[in-house]
Amino acid sequence: MRPLAALLCGALLSAGCTDLVSHGRDDPALEWARRYPVVPAPATLRPARGEFVLDGSTRLLLADPADPEVRSVAELLAAPLRAASGFPLPVSAAPASGPERNALVLRLAAELPGDSPERYRLSVTEQGAVLAAATPAGLFRGTQTLRQLLPPAVEEAVRARADWRGIAPARASTGRARWAVPAVEIEDAPRFAYRGMHLDVARHFMPPEFVKKYVDLLALYRFSHFHWHLTDDQGWRIEIRKHPRLTEVGAWRRETMVGRLGAAAGDGRPHGGFYTQAEVRDIVAYAAARHVTIVPEIEMPGHARAAIAAYPELSCSGAPVEVATGWGIHADVLCPSERTFAFLEDVLDEVMELFPGPYVHVGGDEVRKEQWAESPVAREVMRREGLAGVEALQTYFVGRVGRYLEAQGRRYVGWDEIAQGGIPPGAVVMSWRGMLPGIDAARRGHEVIMAPDTHLYFDHYQANPASEPLGIGNVIPLRVVYDFDPVPPDLGPGERERVLGGQGSVWTEHLRTPGEVEYMAFPRVIALSEALWTPVERRSWKSFQERLPAQLRRLDALGVRYRAP
Ligand code: TNX
């Protein structure tokens, strides 16, 4: 039974009784869920009465008008709002003396309590709104919360203006909106700095416009990282100037295996595509404006058959192979030769030039080692380096490439198999075969990103496979994603801090189009955002369920083909 105070406050929504509310109930987020359907739920939210109604004379005021990043954040907020409402919403410098009426004020405020660079405070009253944050990234996160408090019609303008609108299907208009924001006081910061989503564009190429749409959706749910899986056995998708055959040859395959494993057959249709460096730059800038950092992945030494098809001398045998047409784990792997390392350094030089972020992902998963075991070249490397066997050779391989990246000031990330022969020093371990490899790596002093296939593989089914499109693996329903915690109880103090965060993955063996990706990713991405942002004690499945319908209306307006829960 809900205490009387909570019922009263729920009805009145007056700021004065919110203390009673938060002390008087076991589910703090449920009370305000309908009025403030924000996802991920903010760390603290104090409901208040009334609303700020925007009109033709509302202004956007910047306390730091000279800061280009602040201006960019303000424009990203103002432009769709102008288009949707028809209000001019001019942006100008905030006068030194406040408070301002009928204005939305953006202000950098290093004094905000906390230490996350993404922390922000959003205060909305009947007079206006003030968004304060320690950094432009925090300001951007705050604008996305504000965006979610505006009517979903704002999303139609986002879509109409976006470079990705071409790939969004037409939807019925959500109609004329009242441009109001409910009064509230939000103080917010993320639980984890690394809040990631992955996308495999190697198994099926996804057009640049869709990659932008995906990034935009991640930004809406306050994700910080986009892990772009750019190469695999079935395709190499990034232009490398020094080695043009990677895309001339490696970006195209003869056909694709379709259907369930075991009953699959080739479709006889060529598939391919790649991103030019100009397109990559454009996407990186697009993500940066939304404070999303891209983690590019170049797979090695396994899942590299497209590269070997382009340059057979990268394998130990040198035998010609074609870009893979089937799924699974192929025997073709890069040879640990000086030629291969020189090639990889060339590739990574161009990758680092394109991607300014701190992390580069070097793959490292599912490496078959038969070719190494048989190769005189590989055996000579093991002898020279004093390596006990092929597992240690994998550690040497990844560690050597990692040292190259570290020498240029980058961190390197690898799938958890990089730990099999001993973890290469400095590596960030991405735990995908459940949580145990991540727990083990954290205990051994490594930083870890939890991306377990038991919880966060969105190529797995969302519901009964009998009535769902073909997926991989078992069923991972929305609730399992919602309840995910990147920090397992097994980790003690000193170890827990090594978990940088978590990540959902979308592998595309069976996902051929952007629409199919959206169907598998949404709404699970939305559930994951709360698992990665919101403090555990503020999370509530019930409240999430109350807030989700408003988010789905937003996705409708954005033309996202999600799976209706
Ligand atoms: C395993 S996850 C893989 C991918 C597949 C995926 C299918 C990982 C690091 N390797 O190559 O696409 O399973 O779920």
Side-chain angles (χ1 to χ4, degrees), residues 36-58:
Y36 309 97
V38 177
V39 182
T44 69
L45 183 153
R46 279 188 294 279
R49 192 169 32 195
E51 56 188 14
F52 169 38
V53 184
L54 284 74
D55 61 29
S57 41
T58 306

PDB file of all heavy atoms in Angstrom, residues 36-58:
ATOM      1  N   TYR A  36       6.994  12.634 -16.242  1.00  0.00           N
ATOM      2  CA  TYR A  36       8.383  12.832 -16.689  1.00  0.00           C
ATOM      3  C   TYR A  36       8.907  11.512 -17.264  1.00  0.00           C
ATOM      4  O   TYR A  36       9.690  10.828 -16.602  1.00  0.00           O
ATOM      5  CB  TYR A  36       9.277  13.264 -15.532  1.00  0.00           C
ATOM      6  CG  TYR A  36       8.754  14.443 -14.742  1.00  0.00           C
ATOM      7  CD1 TYR A  36       8.053  14.251 -13.556  1.00  0.00           C
ATOM      8  CD2 TYR A  36       8.970  15.743 -15.196  1.00  0.00           C
ATOM      9  CE1 TYR A  36       7.582  15.330 -12.828  1.00  0.00           C
ATOM     10  CE2 TYR A  36       8.497  16.830 -14.477  1.00  0.00           C
ATOM     11  CZ  TYR A  36       7.799  16.618 -13.286  1.00  0.00           C
ATOM     12  OH  TYR A  36       7.332  17.694 -12.567  1.00  0.00           O
ATOM     13  N   PRO A  37       8.474  11.151 -18.479  1.00  0.00           N
ATOM     14  CA  PRO A  37       8.815   9.809 -18.978  1.00  0.00           C
ATOM     15  C   PRO A  37      10.236   9.712 -19.534  1.00  0.00           C
ATOM     16  O   PRO A  37      10.466   9.197 -20.619  1.00  0.00           O
ATOM     17  CB  PRO A  37       7.765   9.583 -20.070  1.00  0.00           C
ATOM     18  CG  PRO A  37       7.435  10.952 -20.561  1.00  0.00           C
ATOM     19  CD  PRO A  37       7.626  11.904 -19.423  1.00  0.00           C
ATOM     20  N   VAL A  38      11.201  10.215 -18.777  1.00  0.00           N
ATOM     21  CA  VAL A  38      12.584  10.295 -19.256  1.00  0.00           C
ATOM     22  C   VAL A  38      13.284   8.940 -19.115  1.00  0.00           C
ATOM     23  O   VAL A  38      13.177   8.283 -18.084  1.00  0.00           O
ATOM     24  CB  VAL A  38      13.357  11.374 -18.454  1.00  0.00           C
ATOM     25  CG1 VAL A  38      14.810  11.417 -18.875  1.00  0.00           C
ATOM     26  CG2 VAL A  38      12.703  12.733 -18.622  1.00  0.00           C
ATOM     27  N   VAL A  39      14.002   8.551 -20.161  1.00  0.00           N
ATOM     28  CA  VAL A  39      14.843   7.350 -20.125  1.00  0.00           C
ATOM     29  C   VAL A  39      16.211   7.691 -20.709  1.00  0.00           C
ATOM     30  O   VAL A  39      16.265   8.283 -21.783  1.00  0.00           O
ATOM     31  CB  VAL A  39      14.223   6.197 -20.952  1.00  0.00           C
ATOM     32  CG1 VAL A  39      15.115   4.952 -20.841  1.00  0.00           C
ATOM     33  CG2 VAL A  39      12.808   5.863 -20.498  1.00  0.00           C
ATOM     34  N   PRO A  40      17.306   7.334 -20.028  1.00  0.00           N
ATOM     35  CA  PRO A  40      17.373   6.696 -18.729  1.00  0.00           C
ATOM     36  C   PRO A  40      16.910   7.632 -17.603  1.00  0.00           C
ATOM     37  O   PRO A  40      17.063   8.850 -17.696  1.00  0.00           O
ATOM     38  CB  PRO A  40      18.863   6.364 -18.573  1.00  0.00           C
ATOM     39  CG  PRO A  40      19.571   7.316 -19.467  1.00  0.00           C
ATOM     40  CD  PRO A  40      18.650   7.556 -20.622  1.00  0.00           C
ATOM     41  N   ALA A  41      16.350   7.026 -16.546  1.00  0.00           N
ATOM     42  CA  ALA A  41      15.871   7.812 -15.411  1.00  0.00           C
ATOM     43  C   ALA A  41      17.034   8.590 -14.808  1.00  0.00           C
ATOM     44  O   ALA A  41      18.109   8.041 -14.579  1.00  0.00           O
ATOM     45  CB  ALA A  41      15.262   6.898 -14.355  1.00  0.00           C
ATOM     46  N   PRO A  42      16.828   9.887 -14.546  1.00  0.00           N
ATOM     47  CA  PRO A  42      17.896  10.691 -13.932  1.00  0.00           C
ATOM     48  C   PRO A  42      18.223  10.219 -12.514  1.00  0.00           C
ATOM     49  O   PRO A  42      17.385   9.603 -11.846  1.00  0.00           O
ATOM     50  CB  PRO A  42      17.286  12.097 -13.899  1.00  0.00           C
ATOM     51  CG  PRO A  42      16.160  12.081 -14.867  1.00  0.00           C
ATOM     52  CD  PRO A  42      15.640  10.680 -14.876  1.00  0.00           C
ATOM     53  N   ALA A  43      19.433  10.557 -12.077  1.00  0.00           N
ATOM     54  CA  ALA A  43      19.867  10.148 -10.737  1.00  0.00           C
ATOM     55  C   ALA A  43      18.954  10.737  -9.670  1.00  0.00           C
ATOM     56  O   ALA A  43      18.593  10.071  -8.708  1.00  0.00           O
ATOM     57  CB  ALA A  43      21.313  10.569 -10.513  1.00  0.00           C
ATOM     58  N   THR A  44      18.569  11.999  -9.823  1.00  0.00           N
ATOM     59  CA  THR A  44      17.564  12.562  -8.915  1.00  0.00           C
ATOM     60  C   THR A  44      16.604  13.419  -9.726  1.00  0.00           C
ATOM     61  O   THR A  44      17.016  14.115 -10.668  1.00  0.00           O
ATOM     62  CB  THR A  44      18.167  13.461  -7.815  1.00  0.00           C
ATOM     63  OG1 THR A  44      18.670  14.647  -8.426  1.00  0.00           O
ATOM     64  CG2 THR A  44      19.272  12.783  -7.051  1.00  0.00           C
ATOM     65  N   LEU A  45      15.343  13.349  -9.360  1.00  0.00           N
ATOM     66  CA  LEU A  45      14.319  14.141 -10.045  1.00  0.00           C
ATOM     67  C   LEU A  45      13.320  14.602  -9.005  1.00  0.00           C
ATOM     68  O   LEU A  45      12.740  13.778  -8.290  1.00  0.00           O
ATOM     69  CB  LEU A  45      13.652  13.278 -11.117  1.00  0.00           C
ATOM     70  CG  LEU A  45      12.589  13.954 -12.012  1.00  0.00           C
ATOM     71  CD1 LEU A  45      12.522  13.264 -13.370  1.00  0.00           C
ATOM     72  CD2 LEU A  45      11.206  13.966 -11.360  1.00  0.00           C
ATOM     73  N   ARG A  46      13.185  15.915  -8.870  1.00  0.00           N
ATOM     74  CA  ARG A  46      12.180  16.456  -7.957  1.00  0.00           C
ATOM     75  C   ARG A  46      11.033  17.042  -8.761  1.00  0.00           C
ATOM     76  O   ARG A  46      11.215  18.025  -9.485  1.00  0.00           O
ATOM     77  CB  ARG A  46      12.801  17.528  -7.051  1.00  0.00           C
ATOM     78  CG  ARG A  46      13.566  16.931  -5.857  1.00  0.00           C
ATOM     79  CD  ARG A  46      14.008  17.997  -4.870  1.00  0.00           C
ATOM     80  NE  ARG A  46      15.010  18.895  -5.450  1.00  0.00           N
ATOM     81  CZ  ARG A  46      16.314  18.591  -5.534  1.00  0.00           C
ATOM     82  NH1 ARG A  46      16.765  17.437  -5.096  1.00  0.00           N
ATOM     83  NH2 ARG A  46      17.159  19.458  -6.070  1.00  0.00           N
ATOM     84  N   PRO A  47       9.848  16.426  -8.648  1.00  0.00           N
ATOM     85  CA  PRO A  47       8.696  16.931  -9.396  1.00  0.00           C
ATOM     86  C   PRO A  47       8.302  18.315  -8.895  1.00  0.00           C
ATOM     87  O   PRO A  47       8.569  18.673  -7.749  1.00  0.00           O
ATOM     88  CB  PRO A  47       7.577  15.938  -9.070  1.00  0.00           C
ATOM     89  CG  PRO A  47       8.233  14.758  -8.441  1.00  0.00           C
ATOM     90  CD  PRO A  47       9.494  15.264  -7.810  1.00  0.00           C
ATOM     91  N   ALA A  48       7.701  19.105  -9.758  1.00  0.00           N
ATOM     92  CA  ALA A  48       7.196  20.413  -9.363  1.00  0.00           C
ATOM     93  C   ALA A  48       5.919  20.700 -10.136  1.00  0.00           C
ATOM     94  O   ALA A  48       5.657  20.078 -11.165  1.00  0.00           O
ATOM     95  CB  ALA A  48       8.238  21.496  -9.630  1.00  0.00           C
ATOM     96  N   ARG A  49       5.175  21.668  -9.628  1.00  0.00           N
ATOM     97  CA  ARG A  49       3.893  21.983 -10.247  1.00  0.00           C
ATOM     98  C   ARG A  49       4.072  23.005 -11.368  1.00  0.00           C
ATOM     99  O   ARG A  49       4.975  23.831 -11.299  1.00  0.00           O
ATOM    100  CB  ARG A  49       2.954  22.552  -9.187  1.00  0.00           C
ATOM    101  CG  ARG A  49       1.518  22.658  -9.622  1.00  0.00           C
ATOM    102  CD  ARG A  49       0.625  22.974  -8.446  1.00  0.00           C
ATOM    103  NE  ARG A  49       1.321  23.801  -7.446  1.00  0.00           N
ATOM    104  CZ  ARG A  49       0.868  23.963  -6.208  1.00  0.00           C
ATOM    105  NH1 ARG A  49      -0.235  23.360  -5.818  1.00  0.00           N
ATOM    106  NH2 ARG A  49       1.520  24.742  -5.367  1.00  0.00           N
ATOM    107  N   GLY A  50       3.230  22.925 -12.357  1.00  0.00           N
ATOM    108  CA  GLY A  50       3.248  23.918 -13.423  1.00  0.00           C
ATOM    109  C   GLY A  50       4.098  23.486 -14.601  1.00  0.00           C
ATOM    110  O   GLY A  50       4.688  22.396 -14.602  1.00  0.00           O
ATOM    111  N   GLU A  51       4.175  24.369 -15.592  1.00  0.00           N
ATOM    112  CA  GLU A  51       4.978  24.043 -16.762  1.00  0.00           C
ATOM    113  C   GLU A  51       5.503  25.313 -17.414  1.00  0.00           C
ATOM    114  O   GLU A  51       4.972  26.403 -17.204  1.00  0.00           O
ATOM    115  CB  GLU A  51       4.164  23.212 -17.763  1.00  0.00           C
ATOM    116  CG  GLU A  51       2.871  23.881 -18.190  1.00  0.00           C
ATOM    117  CD  GLU A  51       1.978  22.975 -19.037  1.00  0.00           C
ATOM    118  OE1 GLU A  51       2.226  21.765 -19.084  1.00  0.00           O
ATOM    119  OE2 GLU A  51       1.038  23.510 -19.653  1.00  0.00           O
ATOM    120  N   PHE A  52       6.569  25.124 -18.174  1.00  0.00           N
ATOM    121  CA  PHE A  52       7.145  26.228 -18.939  1.00  0.00           C
ATOM    122  C   PHE A  52       6.604  26.100 -20.362  1.00  0.00           C
ATOM    123  O   PHE A  52       6.888  25.118 -21.046  1.00  0.00           O
ATOM    124  CB  PHE A  52       8.671  26.121 -18.893  1.00  0.00           C
ATOM    125  CG  PHE A  52       9.394  27.030 -19.841  1.00  0.00           C
ATOM    126  CD1 PHE A  52       8.955  28.335 -20.097  1.00  0.00           C
ATOM    127  CD2 PHE A  52      10.557  26.597 -20.479  1.00  0.00           C
ATOM    128  CE1 PHE A  52       9.636  29.171 -20.975  1.00  0.00           C
ATOM    129  CE2 PHE A  52      11.248  27.426 -21.347  1.00  0.00           C
ATOM    130  CZ  PHE A  52      10.784  28.711 -21.602  1.00  0.00           C
ATOM    131  N   VAL A  53       5.818  27.101 -20.763  1.00  0.00           N
ATOM    132  CA  VAL A  53       5.227  27.043 -22.096  1.00  0.00           C
ATOM    133  C   VAL A  53       6.038  27.917 -23.048  1.00  0.00           C
ATOM    134  O   VAL A  53       6.156  29.128 -22.850  1.00  0.00           O
ATOM    135  CB  VAL A  53       3.746  27.513 -22.066  1.00  0.00           C
ATOM    136  CG1 VAL A  53       3.122  27.358 -23.452  1.00  0.00           C
ATOM    137  CG2 VAL A  53       2.972  26.716 -21.026  1.00  0.00           C
ATOM    138  N   LEU A  54       6.603  27.297 -24.060  1.00  0.00           N
ATOM    139  CA  LEU A  54       7.388  28.044 -25.048  1.00  0.00           C
ATOM    140  C   LEU A  54       6.446  28.773 -25.994  1.00  0.00           C
ATOM    141  O   LEU A  54       5.351  28.284 -26.289  1.00  0.00           O
ATOM    142  CB  LEU A  54       8.275  27.096 -25.851  1.00  0.00           C
ATOM    143  CG  LEU A  54       9.526  26.576 -25.153  1.00  0.00           C
ATOM    144  CD1 LEU A  54       9.178  25.529 -24.111  1.00  0.00           C
ATOM    145  CD2 LEU A  54      10.508  25.990 -26.153  1.00  0.00           C
ATOM    146  N   ASP A  55       6.883  29.939 -26.465  1.00  0.00           N
ATOM    147  CA  ASP A  55       6.065  30.672 -27.437  1.00  0.00           C
ATOM    148  C   ASP A  55       6.967  31.473 -28.376  1.00  0.00           C
ATOM    149  O   ASP A  55       8.193  31.311 -28.365  1.00  0.00           O
ATOM    150  CB  ASP A  55       5.038  31.565 -26.726  1.00  0.00           C
ATOM    151  CG  ASP A  55       5.712  32.606 -25.841  1.00  0.00           C
ATOM    152  OD1 ASP A  55       6.863  33.018 -26.153  1.00  0.00           O
ATOM    153  OD2 ASP A  55       5.106  33.012 -24.825  1.00  0.00           O
ATOM    154  N   GLY A  56       6.355  32.325 -29.145  1.00  0.00           N
ATOM    155  CA  GLY A  56       7.080  33.072 -30.178  1.00  0.00           C
ATOM    156  C   GLY A  56       8.153  33.999 -29.631  1.00  0.00           C
ATOM    157  O   GLY A  56       9.023  34.446 -30.387  1.00  0.00           O
ATOM    158  N   SER A  57       8.119  34.309 -28.329  1.00  0.00           N
ATOM    159  CA  SER A  57       9.183  35.196 -27.832  1.00  0.00           C
ATOM    160  C   SER A  57      10.168  34.488 -26.905  1.00  0.00           C
ATOM    161  O   SER A  57      11.012  35.135 -26.274  1.00  0.00           O
ATOM    162  CB  SER A  57       8.574  36.439 -27.158  1.00  0.00           C
ATOM    163  OG  SER A  57       7.463  36.071 -26.395  1.00  0.00           O
ATOM    164  N   THR A  58      10.105  33.161 -26.848  1.00  0.00           N
ATOM    165  CA  THR A  58      11.088  32.420 -26.052  1.00  0.00           C
ATOM    166  C   THR A  58      12.475  32.556 -26.682  1.00  0.00           C
ATOM    167  O   THR A  58      12.623  32.488 -27.900  1.00  0.00           O
ATOM    168  CB  THR A  58      10.705  30.922 -25.970  1.00  0.00           C
ATOM    169  OG1 THR A  58       9.376  30.818 -25.485  1.00  0.00           O
ATOM    170  CG2 THR A  58      11.659  30.160 -25.076  1.00  0.00           C
TER     171      THR A  58
END
